[in-house]
């Protein structure tokens, strides 16, 4: 609870600082707030506090909260002068991101479906505004509108699902729903099944799994890059953690019922994400499709449901988050200098900015899943668990998709090192350097010594 | 004593990190480190007792919850490949002394990084570690070939990369499957040897491994990436690929494929031999028609590797021992060939056979060295190629007489196209292009002298090498046979 309070208080403080035009103080204030929240996460470890049956700060929640907070802090480090171009009132950007983060923390710690809904809405509504924050930009407006309409639509599905489940069980509490399932295993109310399916559809919308992914590319491309970074890392991680918290925990007794449709969704997601990413000319759009395919790999953890699923998801999302932040950070740098965000803009980056090029290479190798990076360990664990249940064809299919992934992730590496570009040096601001170096270090540590995360939860 | 192996593996890694920051002095720094590795290898070879046991074993917990250990050791088979790697890397670095690479620090750092990956592959006793090394060796060579390569390098290397990584992903599938079958839930090679899998399982695991190895070697029909990649790669890259990297595939078959899935090998080994023999004949025929000398050598390499692969799958001592010595010989010879071709192309900017001729008259020293290397490649008695090919053919003969008839054709084919190339390039009349050819000097002479010396010494007295691996090979074959009889 301290964590959420800290974040919200920070958000309000930032808003007031903005009112008094203290633009210089915004970033330090935010970072201090996030650090304090992170400190609360550390002290709350192993305490497993339950707040009035609404939220439970168990290790799962704390680990994911820490990841969300750390990711957000990294993104804030990239804000230097980023928003100042668009508007004079930058405080609202900071506040909205912090509000979204607080919603995210609720989504990873809820034990009551009403909390899930509240957290989801806090996060989503903030994200809708953030997507459209460039008021005079056509693409940004389009992104915001699409995001809002699709988001509202999917929330509808989710709510309807929750209603049906409430109708069947008479409770919003995860514990009560679970014990209902265990107690009435043979005669679960017929209302419950459509409820589960509707909730699954709602969550798939939120995480961007196919065939509910259509909003993702346009929204990601149209939003300001920094907001896209936030949406594709923090928001996605929170949504996925919420997904796994209810499906792997509460709905686990019905695994046989909801697993087959989910398997279809996984196959579609992997295929559509990878194959479409292959044909993109725009780096940002490619990242959007690749983020769809990563959801596919992540959903493997729900197909298998083992005792290590949560840890595997944590590792995967951590690897994905830091690799994506690196990729977007370099993208922002490149776009600021060259004005474009397609693959050609990266030509010759290896010469113009060796650090950024190296960091982006490591990030791409991690997203593609090359050993010694976090991305490999994440994929490996997903494959391992699926294999363990002898769904070999599914793994073979995933491997073919991973192979396609190598091709499009390497394209930007090819552009950076093997193609000649303009001979302009690209300078890296200090904060960017910090983010890039830290992300690379984290990515490599996760790949070389994943034990740091594997036994956490 | 255990620490020696850790030092051997991690020295190149540290060396790579240091070399990356040394700017134009990189080649000297890299050379010093490569020689240090060689010295450690020499020390290991001296300390090594040539029995079948694993020596210098390190076994450190790595990712305990997943049953992954840093488990490595050296037996006779490993030692040969380790020797090959650590002898060839300094030679390749020395051979790159004259070449004028942009950003030399990155180039040499990548070579050393690759060396570390290769050493992991050749010593790993943990399947996961093996896989990590397998991929870790691929990344640097991809960048070497794609940054410093020829005109068409981007497309060609993308094909190479996706091809090889595709193969290895399916190997990973096989490794995970074996891990799950293993009751101890670890990746230990001994535990994998002990698994009892039914023939159907062994069949598909055989293919999941074999495709990865066959792509690396390469065996027909998985070879299509190879000629282009070799041709477009910079000289140093070609030498690394052909000299050392393809041995990863051969080593993988010997260490992982045969003992783990012997029944799979029994069922599909014939197919593998047939593919190898087809590859031999096919590659030799294509080599005949090549106009570019570098491409010709690339195809000849496919033919030679085909013979090695056939010898291994024949599953007898002669074939296996022949493979061991031929790995070493082929590595030395092919590096020599590519180095000579690099000397020629760096001076004349061409490797097209018809444009050359008469170089022997203006560059007698090069002509002698080239001749020795070519003779080693065509397996003239008294050179290093002879003993290996002889043993390999003997091994294949015991398997099937028809296979040996076709495989034996390589020796004849090889002699014909190699000598024809030599004749067109070095002999005959000098033309306007070759008249000003400068003979070898400095480091070039040194490299060629070392290579020629190795060719002759190994040809005349191969016993120490054969002796090193003999016990390990025997044990391996016994193990395979034992497991086969127990299945029956």
């Amino acid at each position: 609870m301290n964590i959420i309070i800290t974040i919200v208080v920070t958000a309000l403080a930032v808003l007031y600082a903005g009112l008094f035009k203290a633009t210089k103080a915004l970033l330090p204030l935010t970072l201090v707030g996030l650090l304090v929240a992170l400190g609360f996460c550390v002290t709350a470890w192993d305490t497993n506090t339950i707040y009035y049956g609404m939220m439970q700060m168990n290790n799962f929640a704390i680990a994911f909260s820490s990841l969300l907070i750390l990711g957000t802090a990294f993104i804030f480090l990239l804000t230097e002068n980023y928003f100042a171009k668009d508007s004079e009132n930058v405080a609202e950007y900071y506040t909205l991101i912090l509000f979204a983060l607080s919603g995210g923390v609720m989504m990873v710690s809820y034990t009551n479906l009403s909390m899930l809904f509240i957290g989801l809405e806090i996060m989503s509504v903030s994200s809708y505004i953030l997507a459209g924050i460039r008021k005079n930009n056509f693409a940004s407006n389009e992104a915001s509108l699409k995001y809002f309409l699709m988001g509202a639509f999917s929330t509808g599905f989710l709510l309807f699902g929750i209603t049906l489940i409430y109708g069947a069980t008479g409770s919003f509490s995860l514990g009560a729903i679970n014990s209902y399932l265990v107690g009435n295993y043979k005669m679960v109310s017929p209302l419950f099944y459509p409820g589960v399916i509707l909730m699954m559809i709602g969550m798939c919308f939120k995480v961007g799994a196919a065939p509910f992914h259509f909003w993702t590319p346009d929204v990601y491309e149209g939003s300001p890059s920094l907001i896209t970074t936030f949406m594709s890392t923090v928001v996605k991680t929170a949504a996925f953690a919420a997904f796994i918290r209810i499906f792997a925990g509460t709905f686990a007794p019905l695994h046989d019922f909801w697993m087959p449709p989910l398997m279809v969704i996984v196959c579609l997601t992997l295929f559509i994400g990878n194959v479409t990413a292959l044909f993109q000319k725009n780096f940002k759009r490619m990242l959007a499709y690749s983020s769809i395919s990563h959801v596919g790999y992540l959903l493997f953890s729900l197909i298998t449901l083992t005792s290590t699923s949560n840890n595997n998801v944590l590792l995967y999302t951590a690897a994905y988050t830091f690799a994506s932040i690196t990729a977007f950070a370099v993208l922002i740098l490149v776009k600021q200098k060259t004005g474009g965000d397609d693959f050609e803009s990266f030509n010759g980056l290896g010469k113009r900015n060796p650090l950024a090029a190296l960091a982006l290479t490591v990030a791409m190798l991690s997203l593609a899943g090359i050993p010694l990076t976090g991305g490999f360990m994440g994929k490996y664990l997903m494959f391992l668990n699926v294999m363990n249940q002898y769904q070999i064809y599914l793994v073979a299919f995933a491997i073919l998709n991973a192979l396609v992934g190598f091709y499009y992730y390497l394209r930007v590496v090819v552009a950076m090192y093997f193609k000649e570009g303009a001979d302009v040096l690209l300078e890296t601001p200090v904060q960017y350097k910090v983010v890039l170096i830290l992300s690379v270090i984290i990515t490599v540590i996760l790949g070389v010594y994943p034990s740091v995360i594997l036994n956490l939860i | 004593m255990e620490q020696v192996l850790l030092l051997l593996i991690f020295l190149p890694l540290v060396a790579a990190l240091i070399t990356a920051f040394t700017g134009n002095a990189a080649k000297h720094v890299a050379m010093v480190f490569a020689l240090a590795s060689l010295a450690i290898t020499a020390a290991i070879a001296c300390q090594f007792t040539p029995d079948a046991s694993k020596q210098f074993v390190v076994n450190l917990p790595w990712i305990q919850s997943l049953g992954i250990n840093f488990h490595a050791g050296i037996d006779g088979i490993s030692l040969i490949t380790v020797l090959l790697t650590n002898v060839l890397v300094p030679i390749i670095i020395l051979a790159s002394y004259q070449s004028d690479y942009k950003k030399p620090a990155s180039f040499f750092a990548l070579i050393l990084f690759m060396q570390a990956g290769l050493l992991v592959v050749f010593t790993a006793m943990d399947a996961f570690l093996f896989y990590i090394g397998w991929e870790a060796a691929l990344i640097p060579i991809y960048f070497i070939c794609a940054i410093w390569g020829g005109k068409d390098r981007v497309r060609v290397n993308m094909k190479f990369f996706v091809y090889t990584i595709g193969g290895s992903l399916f190997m990973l599938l096989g490794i995970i499957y074996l891990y799950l079958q293993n009751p101890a839930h670890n990746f230990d090679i001994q535990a994998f040897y002990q698994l009892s899998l039914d023939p159907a399982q062994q069949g598909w695991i055989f293919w999941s491994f074999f495709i990865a190895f066959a792509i690396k070697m390469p065996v027909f029909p998985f070879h299509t990436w190879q000629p282009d990649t070799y041709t477009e790669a910079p000289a140093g890259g070609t030498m690394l690929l052909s000299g050392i990297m393809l041995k990863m595939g051969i080593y993988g078959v010997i260490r992982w494929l045969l003992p783990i899935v012997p029944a799979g090998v029994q069922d599909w080994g014939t197919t593998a031999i047939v593919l190898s023999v087809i590859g031999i004949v096919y590659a030799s025929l294509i080599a005949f028609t090549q106009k570019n000398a570098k491409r010709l050598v690339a195809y000849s390499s496919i033919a030679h590797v085909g013979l090695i692969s056939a010898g291994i799958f024949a599953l007898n001592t002669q074939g296996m021992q022949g493979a061991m010595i031929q790995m070493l010989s082929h590595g030395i010879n092919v590096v020599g060939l590519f180095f000579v071709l690099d000397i020629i192309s760096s001076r004349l900017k061409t490797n097209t056979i018809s444009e050359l001729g008469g170089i022997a008259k203006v560059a007698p020293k090069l002509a002698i060295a080239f001749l020795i290397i070519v003779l080693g490649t065509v397996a003239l008695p008294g050179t290093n190629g002879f003993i290996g090919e002889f043993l390999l053919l003997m091994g294949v003969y015991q398997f099937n007489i028809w296979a040996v008839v076709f495989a034996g054709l390589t020796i004849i084919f090889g002699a014909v196209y190699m000598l024809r190339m030599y004749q067109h390039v070095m002999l005959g009349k000098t033309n306007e292009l070759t008249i000003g050819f400068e003979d070898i000097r400095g480091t070039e002479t040194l490299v060629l002298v070392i290579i020629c010396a190795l060719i002759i010494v190994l040809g005349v007295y191969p016993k120490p090498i054969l002796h090193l691996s003999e016990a390990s090979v025997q044990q391996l074959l016994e193990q395979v046979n034992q497991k086969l009889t127990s299945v029956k």
Side-chain angles (χ1 to χ4, degrees):
Chain A
M1 193 52 95
N2 303 338
I3 305 169
I4 296 179
I5 293 174
T6 315
I7 295 172
V8 174
V9 168
T10 313
L12 293 173
V14 167
L15 207 54
Y16 276 103
L19 203 62
F20 297 111
K21 301 283 177 203
T23 36
K24 285 257 155 56
L26 294 179
L27 185 61
L29 191 63
T30 318
L31 289 176
V32 168
L34 289 177
L35 272 181
V36 173
L38 208 55
F40 280 127
C41 283
V42 175
T43 52
W45 190 256
D46 270 342
T47 52
N48 202 5
T49 336
I50 300 174
Y51 298 101
Y52 305 103
M54 296 304 251
M55 280 166 54
Q56 183 184 18
M57 273 297 164
N58 56 4
N59 286 355
F60 174 93
I62 293 168
F64 275 100
S65 302
S66 311
L67 177 60
L68 297 180
I69 293 171
L70 209 58
T72 315
F74 272 45
I75 290 168
F76 273 119
L77 280 175
L78 302 177
T79 51
E80 167 168 274
N81 298 330
Y82 186 82
F83 296 126
K85 299 189 307 257
D86 299 330
S87 137
E88 287 180 356
N89 306 319
V90 288
E92 62 207 40
Y93 296 72
Y94 287 73
T95 309
L96 283 170
I97 291 180
L98 285 170
F99 278 145
L101 176 65
S102 71
V105 174
M106 288 175 209
M107 284 171 72
V108 301
S109 57
Y110 68 95
T111 50
N112 190 299
L113 290 179
S114 57
M115 267 329 269
L116 166 67
F117 179 70
I118 291 171
L120 194 70
E121 281 306 282
I122 294 179
M123 195 173 77
S124 301
V125 172
S126 312
S127 309
Y128 304 148
I129 306 173
L130 284 168
I133 204 143
R134 281 194 179 143
K135 276 170 271 186
N136 301 320
N137 181 311
F138 189 69
S140 182
N141 276 301
E142 183 198 344
S144 181
L145 186 67
K146 272 194 179 155
Y147 196 19
F148 171 67
L149 287 178
M150 289 311 243
F153 193 53
S154 66
T155 310
F157 273 103
L158 195 73
L159 268 184
F160 196 25
I162 292 176
T163 318
L164 289 175
I165 286 169
Y166 182 81
T169 62
S171 173
F172 286 130
S173 154
L174 295 192
I177 296 171
N178 186 255
S179 42
Y180 166 84
L181 278 180
V182 175
N184 303 297
Y185 183 65
K186 286 271 160 6
M187 34 176 194
V188 177
S189 153
L191 284 178
F192 202 92
Y193 295 104
V196 170
I197 292 292
L198 286 170
M199 276 195 80
M200 188 198 286
I201 293 175
M203 293 313 285
C204 283
F205 259 116
K206 291 290 175 195
V207 296
F212 313 108
H213 67 285
F214 290 101
W215 58 275
T216 331
D218 290 339
V219 172
Y220 281 18
E221 197 188 355
S223 306
S225 297
L226 203 67
I227 304 304
T228 312
T229 321
F230 184 73
M231 288 194 294
S232 73
T233 55
V234 177
V235 173
K236 193 161 258 196
T237 304
F240 203 87
F243 199 169
I244 191 169
R245 203 173 160 93
I246 185 159
F247 275 81
T250 315
F251 294 159
L254 284 186
H255 187 236
D256 290 341
F257 164 71
W258 53 259
M259 197 272 273
L262 195 66
M263 191 116 110
V264 176
I265 289 177
V266 170
C267 291
L268 275 176
T269 308
L270 281 176
F271 185 73
I272 292 175
N274 278 303
V275 171
T276 331
L278 194 58
F279 295 103
Q280 301 307 315
K281 293 200 173 63
N282 181 296
F283 182 66
K284 204 169 160 189
R285 221 175 154 80
M286 184 278 277
L287 283 178
Y289 280 106
S290 96
S291 85
I292 297 174
S293 73
H294 283 288
V295 169
Y297 296 115
L298 272 166
L299 284 173
F300 274 170
S301 59
L302 278 176
I303 288 190
T304 49
L305 281 199
T306 59
S307 54
T308 55
S309 284
N310 292 347
N311 278 312
N312 299 350
V313 170
L314 183 64
L315 179 68
Y316 199 111
T317 45
Y320 168 76
T321 300
F322 292 108
S324 299
I325 288 178
T326 314
F328 279 109
V330 178
L331 172 74
I332 292 170
L333 275 181
V334 168
K335 196 172 176 185
Q336 276 174 355
K337 292 285 165 325
T338 63
D341 50 9
D342 40 7
F343 285 106
E344 272 106 53
S345 313
F346 287 83
N347 285 359
L349 192 68
K351 271 191 205 142
R352 286 147 62 200
N353 189 333
L355 174 72
L358 182 70
L360 185 56
T361 307
V362 173
M364 287 297 121
L365 294 181
S366 180
L367 288 176
I370 299 274
L372 300 178
T373 61
F376 169 72
M377 282 317 296
K379 273 211 182 73
Y380 166 75
L381 289 168
M382 295 298 162
F383 290 172
L384 179 70
N385 275 334
V386 177
M387 275 285 272
N388 200 5
Q389 309 198 349
Y390 299 115
Q391 285 151 343
I392 293 178
Y393 296 106
L394 188 59
V395 181
F397 178 71
I399 281 182
L400 286 178
N401 278 291
L403 204 54
V404 176
F406 284 119
Y407 186 79
Y408 60 77
Y409 286 123
L410 273 185
R411 271 176 63 184
V412 64
V413 178
V414 166
M416 287 193 300
Y417 286 106
F418 316 143
K419 293 203 173 140
E420 297 295 321
D423 251 351
V424 200
L425 278 180
L426 258 182
E427 279 168 31
T428 332
V430 183
Q431 281 111 316
Y432 275 73
K433 272 189 192 153
V434 172
V435 169
L436 292 180
I437 292 173
L438 282 180
S439 300
V440 166
I441 291 175
I442 293 175
T443 303
V444 173
I445 288 179
L446 290 179
V448 175
Y449 199 70
S451 309
V452 287
I453 276 192
L454 281 180
N455 308 317
L456 265 185
I457 309 177
Chain B
M1 234 18 233
E2 291 86 40
Q3 281 71 25
V4 170
L5 191 58
L6 281 181
L7 185 66
L8 186 75
I9 292 173
F10 283 101
L11 182 69
L13 206 60
V14 176
L17 289 177
I18 296 174
T19 311
F21 296 102
T22 49
N24 287 329
K27 56 185 178 187
H28 303 297
V29 179
M31 192 67 206
V32 169
F33 279 113
L35 287 176
S37 293
L38 181 59
I40 298 171
T41 321
I44 287 179
C46 293
Q47 292 281 315
F48 184 81
T49 350
D51 56 19
S53 64
K54 287 276 185 185
Q55 293 160 42
F56 311 99
V57 175
V58 270
N59 194 355
L60 306 169
W62 181 10
I63 309 173
Q64 270 170 314
S65 55
L66 300 176
I68 297 167
N69 295 303
F70 194 96
H71 189 188
I74 288 186
D75 68 352
I77 300 169
S78 301
L79 185 58
I80 298 235
T81 48
V82 169
L83 263 177
L84 172 83
T85 311
N86 285 350
V87 168
L88 282 184
V89 166
I91 291 182
I92 291 170
I93 292 176
L94 192 62
S96 308
Y97 256 51
Q98 304 282 334
S99 320
D100 203 12
Y101 292 119
K102 284 182 285 175
K103 287 204 245 159
S106 320
F107 181 79
F108 290 104
L110 285 170
I111 291 186
L112 292 169
F113 186 54
M114 183 179 176
Q115 186 185 13
L118 289 162
L119 290 172
V120 168
V121 168
F122 293 143
T123 57
M125 292 168 67
D126 183 280
F128 195 85
L129 183 64
F130 173 76
Y131 182 78
I132 297 273
W134 183 269
E135 300 288 36
L138 173 67
I139 305 295
I141 191 69
Y142 168 73
F143 280 100
I144 289 176
C145 294
I147 295 180
W148 289 278
K151 245 186 295 172
D152 202 15
R153 59 188 198 272
V154 172
R155 185 188 62 83
V156 164
N157 281 298
M158 186 62 98
K159 182 173 171 188
F160 161 58
F161 188 84
V162 172
Y163 229 111
T164 39
I165 210 140
S168 39
L169 279 176
F170 282 97
M171 176 169 80
L172 181 64
L173 197 72
I175 290 177
I176 297 178
Y177 188 83
L178 290 169
Y179 162 82
L180 292 169
Q181 295 291 316
N182 179 3
H185 274 314
N186 60 33
F187 290 90
D188 188 61
I189 192 168
Q190 292 301 334
F192 280 11
Y193 286 172
Q194 248 105 71
L195 295 177
S196 50
L197 305 163
D198 65 51
Q201 287 171 320
Q202 295 208 15
W204 80 258
I205 293 177
F206 172 88
W207 281 104
S208 79
F209 277 80
F210 179 70
I211 289 178
F213 299 148
I215 289 173
K216 266 291 186 313
M217 287 199 256
V219 168
F220 178 88
F222 305 104
H223 66 282
T224 55
W225 60 271
Q226 190 252 33
D228 286 341
T229 310
Y230 280 23
T231 319
E232 290 296 321
T238 320
M239 293 183 216
L240 285 168
L241 281 168
S242 59
I244 317 178
M245 195 161 133
L246 66 82
K247 274 71 183 184
M248 284 165 68
I250 300 169
Y251 177 85
V253 171
I254 298 176
R255 171 73 69 220
W256 298 92
L257 191 62
L258 302 183
I260 293 178
V261 288
V265 173
Q266 202 180 33
D267 290 349
W268 295 104
T270 316
T271 317
I273 292 187
V274 169
L275 287 178
S276 307
V277 173
I278 292 176
I280 296 172
V281 178
Y282 172 81
S284 303
L285 288 177
I286 294 181
F288 258 114
T289 63
Q290 290 308 310
K291 298 191 175 71
N292 181 311
K294 211 173 171 185
R295 261 188 116 75
L296 185 144
V297 176
Y299 277 106
S300 90
S301 177
I302 299 180
H304 280 109
V305 173
L307 183 58
I308 299 181
S309 148
I312 293 170
F313 281 107
L315 285 184
N316 53 47
T317 323
Q318 285 84 358
M320 200 74 87
Q321 279 285 65
M324 298 311 302
I325 186 110
Q326 185 65 359
M327 276 207 270
L328 204 56
S329 309
H330 175 262
I332 294 165
N333 296 342
V334 84
V335 164
L337 284 173
F338 279 124
F339 183 53
V340 170
L341 294 178
D342 180 49
I343 291 177
I344 293 176
S345 77
S346 70
R347 289 176 196 186
L348 305 179
K349 310 287 172 234
T350 178
N351 265 334
T352 311
I353 298 171
S354 59
E355 291 174 15
L356 303 169
I359 295 178
K361 283 192 190 126
V362 281
K365 280 192 279 180
L366 178 68
I368 293 170
F370 194 15
L371 184 64
I372 295 175
I373 298 170
V374 165
L375 292 178
T377 314
V378 303
L380 187 83
T383 63
N384 62 353
F386 173 71
I387 180 75
E389 293 215 339
F390 178 73
L391 285 171
L392 283 168
L393 288 174
M394 231 161 83
V396 180
Y397 172 75
Q398 289 176 22
F399 174 78
N400 180 304
I401 185 134
W402 283 108
V404 88
V405 167
F406 283 104
L409 286 174
T410 49
I411 299 232
I412 304 166
F413 277 147
V416 176
Y417 60 73
M418 275 294 171
L419 290 173
R420 222 171 56 140
M421 174 188 77
Y422 184 80
Q423 182 195 347
H424 285 299
V425 172
M426 303 304 284
L427 308 178
K429 280 188 192 150
T430 41
N431 55 26
E432 300 103 47
L433 188 65
T434 55
I435 190 84
F437 195 90
E438 231 182 300
D439 206 351
I440 47 174
R441 56 185 143 71
T443 50
E444 293 170 348
T445 321
L446 187 58
V447 171
L448 288 175
V449 165
I450 296 172
I451 289 176
C452 292
L454 285 171
I455 290 175
I456 292 169
V457 170
L458 283 177
V460 177
Y461 193 59
K463 199 160 162 265
I465 301 292
L466 289 170
H467 186 58
L468 279 182
S469 60
E470 195 169 9
S472 302
V473 164
Q474 288 288 2
Q475 194 210 28
L476 188 109
L477 287 170
E478 268 165 36
Q479 202 178 349
V480 171
N481 286 328
Q482 210 175 19
K483 226 175 141 181
L484 276 179
T485 40
S486 75
V487 168
K488 280 169 198 159

